Amino acid sequence: QVQLVESGGGSVQAGGSLRLSCAASGYTSSRNCMAWFRQAPGKEREGVGIITTGGTRPLYADSVKGRFIISLDNAKNTVYLQMNSLKPEDTAMYYCGARENTYCSSTFLVSRNLYNYWGQGTQVTVSS
């Protein structure tokens, strides 16, 4: 059973930065699609970025390109989301998702139903 634990959320002023972490355990494969999604109150959960453990370069939603960076520590099975130049519209609960034994494709950036594991979420609040 895969478990995902997010950390690093908090409150920041617009223009600031935060780094989120998602530590995964229980993988039986070295190739897993991992993702960051976010959900603001009253809105659908939307993809932020995706990456495959041990391989592929990350893909990002247009709304965060150039500001957010996803990176991996394969030895620790941890994915990071570095968020820079934060805006009030980035305020949301951020979730880490994973699907085992799968390479990410662009479809995984827009389809939350493709993931079978989710973390508990971490809140990010950006004030103007």
Side-chain angles (χ1 to χ4, degrees):
Q1 183 79 2
V2 174
Q3 290 188 322
L4 304 172
V5 179
E6 300 106 331
S7 61
S11 297
V12 65
Q13 288 193 323
S17 299
L18 282 173
R19 189 176 83 153
L20 307 183
S21 300
C22 174
S25 60
Y27 280 144
T28 58
S29 170
S30 61
R31 295 288 183 265
N32 310 288
C33 181
M34 296 188 74
W36 286 101
F37 275 65
R38 65 186 181 186
Q39 188 165 16
K43 293 190 175 182
E44 292 289 317
R45 191 174 296 191
E46 63 173 3
V48 174
I50 58 176
I51 192 167
T52 303
T53 59
T56 72
R57 60 184 174 86
L59 296 176
Y60 300 97
D62 288 343
S63 58
V64 306
K65 268 181 195 174
R67 300 188 298 123
F68 290 12
I69 300 169
I70 291 178
S71 60
L72 272 175
D73 184 331
N74 285 302
K76 295 181 180 179
N77 272 336
T78 298
V79 61
Y80 302 96
L81 181 66
Q82 177 67 42
M83 303 185 294
N84 302 317
S85 301
L86 281 161
K87 305 174 181 179
E89 51 264 43
D90 294 318
T91 295
M93 186 72 80
Y94 282 71
Y95 295 92
C96 175
R99 179 162 176 150
E100 267 201 292
N101 199 28
T102 302
Y103 280 87
C104 292
S105 67
S106 58
T107 305
F108 281 80
L109 188 56
V110 296
S111 300
R112 62 175 179 167
N113 294 331
L114 295 177
Y115 298 89
N116 41 14
Y117 300 104
W118 290 99
Q120 80 286 356
T122 186
Q123 178 68 37
V124 171
T125 302
V126 184
S127 57
S128 57

